[in-house]
Amino acid sequence: MKICVIGMGYVGLVSAACFADLGNNVWCVDKNNKKINLLNNNHIPFFEPGLEELVNKNYLSGRLKFTTNLNLAVTNSDVLFICVDTPKLKKSRSADLRHVFDVAKEVSKYIDKFKIIVTKSTVPITTGDKIEELILRKKRKKLFEVVSNPEFLREGEAIRDFRFPDRVVVGSNNKKVTKKLESLYDPIIKKGAEFFSTNRRGAELIKYAANAFLATKISYINELANLCEKTGVNIEDVAIAMGLDKRIGSRFLRAGPAFGGSCFPKDTRAITVTGDLFKTDLSIIKSVIKSNEKRRILLNERVKKILSNKIKNKKIAFLGVTFKPNTDDMRQSSSLVMIPFLLKKGAIINYYDPSGKKKEFAKHRNLVFCSNVYDACENVDLAIIHTEWEEFKALDFRKLYKKKKFKIYDMRNLYSVEFMKKKGFDYYSIGR
Ligand SMILES: NC(=O)c1ccc[n+]([C@@H]2O[C@H](COP(=O)([O-])OP(=O)(O)OC[C@H]3O[C@@H](n4cnc5c(N)ncnc54)[C@H](O)[C@@H]3O)[C@@H](O)[C@H]2O)c1
């Protein structure tokens, strides 16, 4: 098929590369010139395991083309995927749909024959209706169909998730168009993905409903971890035994820091706005948002307690600052709240993250990026394991101590309490 993917971020570039790898011809568009130049010179603008190889392979085969020229890409494609960002508006809980509507307006200028316009970006219910209205200002209804096809991939696992998703959801009010998309996804469906079709608004809601539910699971286990810390119960035991119940399932039941990332914080907020708009109080999701906000403060308080209420001039190592491993994405990571708080209280912080130095921390004083765990932990009073990168799972703490013994706050429960105690480490974790 002839495809155009608009927005070369985590979702757009991965989708484009995977579609091309399935044999489709894919035009990739971004308004960011620098990004397109990088891609045309074999550089991937962000870190996602396996993506560089996949992009290069399909670029060399000629199936993947990068451009800022939307006209060229639209004219040469039958199916257009909108994959631009839909962040939270600065002063409200709502999703900022500016980029989606900009694309719709631009695309409407170039539609010359029938096009399927697919929204892969996460957008609130009725966005598809609004895209349709915008395009109708320029083009007749016969020339296009607007479809919702939300994306469920996870950063860090994006290629695997795209190729082997649990389900592909397509929301369209047109059966012929649904069939066309089903045939595009056929190789993926044949490998075991469930194809689920519904109407357009249904697909828009499914994405938010899924994300809000996963966020709820995380907040639920995080709150139980707080109770475990006060009652001498091990949260891991509770989570494992709960997860063994097939009605519950074990995934997303891992206690840790507040959830972050580019999706859960903004999507939980956006769905409550939709609820309010349709006079439906989504009170469970609203309390998940509150619980997660509280957690950011609570874990800082815990750090303070571990340091015997004296943060001033204490040296702290942050191991991992991204919101999850195998990504360089810093959006809404809890480290963005924790590090500035500790700096403000007078801490001196070293941080190390396998995905490199972060521009988000460039302006802070008393905050240094180290290029490895050993340098980060030199002479510190406390090491905080913030992100569960593989390389933090088997650290040799005795070697890390070098000159000075430090406390360890493992916010991902990577080590067993018994083992760490037996070794004589001053070890703290979550809910245990
Ligand atoms: N990141 C994830 O893990 C993930 C997973 C599932 C769904 N989503 C959803 O997918 C969407 C995209 O997320 P992302 O993380 O890939 O975003 P991103 O911020 O990584 O990338 C968005 C890209 O769109 C480009 N863009 C913006 N406006 C444009 C325009 N008018 N024309 C051309 N390009 C334009 C930007 O330059 C940027 O390169 C969001 O709605 C998000 O909620 C994200």
Side-chain angles (χ1 to χ4, degrees), residues 23 155 316:
E155 286 170 24
I316 301 174

Side-chain angles (χ1 to χ4, degrees), residues 6-12 29-32 35 83-86 99 102-103 120-122 151 153 155 207 262-263 266 331:
I6 306 154
M8 285 296 101
Y10 293 87
V11 166
V29 185
D30 203 287
K31 64 176 183 182
N32 183 333
K35 228 175 201 182
C83 300
V84 297
D85 40 328
T86 52
H99 302 305
D102 283 351
V103 170
K120 226 181 213 320
S121 295
T122 303
E151 182 50 58
L153 60 77
E155 286 170 24
K207 172 66 189 175
S262 63
C263 293
K266 77 172 173 66
R331 287 178 282 187

Side-chain angles (χ1 to χ4, degrees), residues 185-380:
Y185 279 106
D186 190 53
I188 290 172
I189 297 163
K190 281 206 176 98
K191 281 187 279 174
E194 199 72 52
F195 183 79
F196 185 81
S197 64
T198 177
N199 63 16
R200 191 166 63 204
R201 287 186 177 191
E204 288 171 341
L205 180 55
I206 286 165
K207 172 66 189 175
Y208 282 100
N211 273 3
F213 188 75
L214 293 173
T216 304
K217 256 185 128 176
I218 298 173
S219 289
Y220 184 84
I221 204 71
N222 279 344
E223 285 200 351
L224 283 177
N226 297 341
L227 181 62
C228 287
E229 281 172 18
K230 294 193 173 142
T231 51
V233 176
N234 186 333
I235 190 65
E236 303 291 317
D237 291 349
V238 177
I240 290 169
M242 274 179 69
L244 287 171
D245 183 331
K246 289 192 179 63
R247 293 168 302 175
I248 298 174
S250 60
R251 294 171 77 184
F252 283 76
L253 277 187
R254 299 232 4 241
F259 61 74
S262 63
C263 293
F264 291 175
K266 77 172 173 66
D267 293 348
T268 43
R269 282 169 175 79
I271 191 177
T272 61
V273 174
T274 306
D276 292 348
L277 202 69
F278 287 91
K279 301 206 178 349
T280 306
D281 184 16
L282 299 175
S283 65
I284 295 175
I285 306 173
K286 284 179 183 167
S287 49
V288 167
I289 297 167
K290 263 193 209 141
S291 167
N292 201 51
E293 285 303 307
K294 267 197 221 155
R295 185 147 195 86
R296 293 168 193 266
I297 301 162
L298 197 123
L299 291 199
N300 274 333
E301 289 303 319
R302 185 89 204 280
V303 173
K304 206 165 137 191
K305 218 164 144 192
I306 292 170
L307 288 170
S308 315
N309 290 320
K310 283 180 212 128
I311 298 180
K312 200 168 165 55
N313 294 327
K314 285 283 186 312
K315 228 177 147 186
I316 301 174
F318 250 79
L319 305 185
V321 289
T322 50
F323 80 100
K324 66 188 305 200
N326 297 323
T327 182
D328 55 358
D329 199 345
M330 285 294 288
R331 287 178 282 187
Q332 297 293 316
S333 173
S334 58
S335 69
L336 291 170
V337 175
M338 293 192 75
I339 289 181
F341 169 86
L342 295 168
L343 288 172
K344 211 167 158 195
K345 296 277 174 202
I348 300 151
I349 301 181
N350 290 340
Y351 78 95
Y352 164 66
D353 192 281
S355 69
K357 199 171 174 172
K358 302 296 164 203
K359 64 176 186 324
E360 289 79 359
F361 293 138
K363 286 194 185 121
H364 289 290
R365 282 177 46 213
N366 291 330
L367 177 62
V368 176
F369 173 73
C370 300
S371 56
N372 59 65
V373 189
Y374 289 91
D375 291 350
C377 290
E378 193 168 340
N379 275 326
V380 296

